[in-house]
Amino acid sequence: MPTSDSEDDTPSSSNQKETEGTKILLADPKTAILRLSLPMMVAMTLMTLYNVVDAFWVSGLGADALAAVGFSFPLFIITIGLASGLGTGGEAALARMIGARDRAGASSVAMHTILLMTVLAVAVTIPLFLFAGDLFVLMGAGDAVGPATEYARILFMGTFALLFGEVAYALMHGEGDAKRTMYAMAAGAVANIILDPVLIYTLDMGIAGAAWATILAEVIAAVPMVYWLFVKQDTYISLCFREFSPDPAVVRDVLQVGLPAAAEQLALALMALALNGVIILISSTDAVAVYSVGWRVVSIGLTPILAISSAVVAVTGATYGARAYRKMESALRFAARLGLGIGLGLAAATFAFAPRIAAIFTASGDAAVIAPELTTYLQVMSLVYPMVGFGLFSASFFQGTGLGARSLTITVLQNIVLSILLAWVFAIDLGLGLSGVWWGVAAGNAIGAVLGYAWARRYSAGLIVRQAAATAV
């Protein structure tokens, strides 16, 4: 493993199967960030768009249906979060192996990640399917318990395809194969966009149709991933069950990032649950619908920043594995500048067009009553766009270096400690009501992002200083 910040980080040993993805991953970090981010921006924009389209079609079924999706949202986040966390752990460990020029180690990481995903799918699907109705009662869903249970149980039937897709995306992205990851994700997103109106209205399946559209889309997205990884086998990693040997050390390497990353997603789910509770305390289930629809729309604005964040994990992992610490810091700083610029542009656009956006998603049935509050939500949340990247990139930076607990700390600080606390203070203590919830969430995320970025920069600076001192000796 190299001990200095060499400019030539391309694979060279006989243990390597050099691919276009690994060349990108180990090139100039700024170039790598851009080339890994752009395909993911396209794919994630389409995936986010299908979430918004889903909300649009469901809105035609009325506010109760929107609320049902809103109450299902935290449970769906838990499921996605566990898979995404495991995938992130695998991606970070895989990238570090690539940086260290260890193809066999990278393949072992991928195999362990997929097997852990299979165990997770079984552990998650059964309890969530059986107890969905009871959970919605505890969440105070009221009249939305029935449709929420119907929607959620159908979704949970497709958990295996959902989890496989999340893990496969992460593994291929971790080896720098962003283009094919984009193709698979885009296929699923487009399929969902097409299937939604057909199943919901043409076949008159209602909210169940929206859930079935999601499952079928996940299966469609998983098919090419299975082909590339297990049939064609032209990836950097080599997946072969016959040669697989369980290794507790590899499991620990994946889970030291995967578990905290999954916990981060659970923290987001906890935030959603807590905010739903605060919202119901001061308002009604219509306000839950505002939060549900509003967050889906806001996620469009966050898509480019989330795409850059995923690139930071892979590039940081590869440069850390190669001990190219100056390149690692350069990647973080470049990502932060890029995220700031994109965030400013998106914030201005969202703030200006918030009333029109809200009108689109409240045009049908009795959903029109939530339009004014949805406009307020969108305008308030848009103000935090420029700052979001600093927190996300810092969390991704720590994931790439294998310090998952630090990434979790940033997320918990932003979403549990600061956002919920400030939402309560603004909404109840200061008497701002529902708008106070939105202001509290925005302020908590902004403050936490700045603190997280300062922490990441301090850590990278320490690595560079220690490496320079070791080289001097």
Side-chain angles (χ1 to χ4, degrees):
M1 185 179 296
T3 58
S4 63
D5 220 2
S6 170
E7 292 301 315
D8 183 12
D9 291 322
T10 56
S12 59
S13 76
S14 60
N15 191 35
Q16 296 300 309
K17 174 185 177 181
E18 191 170 294
T19 65
E20 181 183 355
T22 57
K23 291 178 182 178
I24 293 172
L25 195 60
L26 294 170
D28 173 73
K30 296 177 183 178
T31 302
I33 289 289
L34 289 174
R35 294 192 65 179
L36 292 180
S37 297
L38 291 176
M40 293 304 292
M41 285 184 190
V42 175
M44 294 175 71
T45 297
L46 286 172
M47 293 189 71
T48 301
L49 179 61
Y50 96 64
N51 278 325
V52 176
V53 170
D54 183 66
F56 173 76
W57 290 117
V58 171
S59 69
L61 300 174
D64 282 346
L66 282 174
V69 175
F71 280 107
S72 302
F73 185 57
L75 297 182
F76 195 56
I77 287 181
I78 291 173
T79 307
I80 289 283
L82 291 171
S84 178
L86 181 59
T88 300
E91 177 180 3
L94 174 63
R96 290 196 296 273
M97 289 294 180
I98 292 174
R101 298 169 171 81
D102 184 357
R103 185 187 174 210
S107 298
S108 179
V109 165
M111 286 296 300
H112 280 82
T113 304
I114 290 174
L115 290 177
L116 287 170
M117 177 274 300
T118 303
V119 173
L120 177 63
V122 175
V124 167
T125 302
I126 296 174
L128 287 180
F129 182 87
L130 293 177
F131 302 110
D134 296 328
L135 289 172
F136 291 130
V137 171
L138 292 174
M139 291 164 62
D143 293 338
V145 168
T149 302
E150 180 184 19
Y151 179 78
R153 281 182 170 164
I154 295 172
L155 280 182
F156 297 145
M157 288 172 60
T159 299
F160 185 85
L162 176 67
L163 297 187
F164 175 79
E166 290 291 324
V167 168
Y169 296 152
L171 292 177
M172 292 193 69
H173 192 261
E175 67 165 64
D177 197 345
K179 285 186 179 180
R180 290 197 295 185
T181 304
M182 174 188 69
Y183 297 148
M185 295 173 72
V190 172
N192 204 320
I193 290 172
I194 295 172
L195 289 170
D196 258 340
V198 173
L199 298 183
I200 294 174
Y201 295 105
T202 304
L203 299 182
D204 198 25
M205 296 175 66
I207 196 170
W212 278 112
T214 299
I215 289 180
L216 293 174
E218 291 293 344
V219 172
I220 290 171
V223 169
M225 306 296 286
V226 171
Y227 174 71
W228 292 325
L229 289 170
F230 295 100
V231 180
K232 192 175 183 181
Q233 294 187 328
D234 61 345
T235 54
Y236 177 81
I237 54 178
S238 176
L239 302 178
C240 181
F241 288 98
R242 288 176 298 179
E243 300 176 3
F244 174 72
S245 178
D247 186 346
V250 176
V251 173
R252 286 195 299 271
D253 199 27
V254 173
L255 294 184
Q256 72 179 356
V257 171
L259 288 178
E264 289 179 36
Q265 300 300 318
L266 294 177
L268 295 176
L270 180 60
M271 180 189 75
L273 287 170
L275 288 178
N276 279 345
V278 174
I279 289 169
I280 291 173
L281 182 65
I282 63 177
S283 187
S284 66
T285 56
D286 282 353
V288 175
V290 170
Y291 178 50
S292 173
V293 176
W295 177 249
R296 287 176 180 235
V297 177
V298 165
S299 63
I300 290 181
L302 295 179
T303 295
I305 298 174
L306 288 170
I308 298 171
S309 178
S310 69
V312 171
V313 174
V315 175
T316 299
T319 50
Y320 183 83
R323 297 188 182 179
Y325 300 139
R326 290 189 182 278
K327 286 187 174 183
M328 183 180 71
E329 183 183 47
S330 176
L332 176 62
R333 294 173 64 183
F334 176 73
R337 293 194 300 270
L338 187 61
L340 176 61
I342 292 174
L344 287 170
L346 290 171
T350 302
F351 191 92
F353 293 103
R356 296 184 182 181
I357 296 171
I360 292 173
F361 292 95
T362 57
S364 302
D366 58 356
V369 298
I370 69 173
E373 192 59 45
L374 180 57
T375 299
T376 300
Y377 175 90
L378 294 175
Q379 290 180 329
V380 172
M381 294 307 297
S382 70
L383 300 178
V384 80
Y385 283 0
M387 302 305 301
V388 167
F390 290 92
L392 286 175
F393 303 154
S394 301
S396 296
F397 172 86
F398 282 125
Q399 288 172 341
T401 60
L403 298 173
R406 296 193 182 192
S407 176
L408 175 60
T409 299
I410 293 173
T411 301
V412 170
L413 178 65
Q414 283 185 287
N415 297 287
I416 302 299
V417 178
L418 293 174
S419 292
I420 294 177
L421 174 63
L422 293 178
W424 180 275
V425 170
F426 288 1
I428 297 178
D429 293 344
L430 298 182
L432 297 180
L434 195 56
S435 63
V437 176
W438 318 144
W439 280 109
V441 172
N445 273 274
I447 295 170
V450 172
L451 295 175
Y453 184 69
W455 193 12
R457 288 294 305 276
R458 180 178 180 181
Y459 175 74
S460 65
L463 288 177
I464 293 171
V465 169
R466 287 192 292 273
Q467 185 178 62
T471 302
V473 173

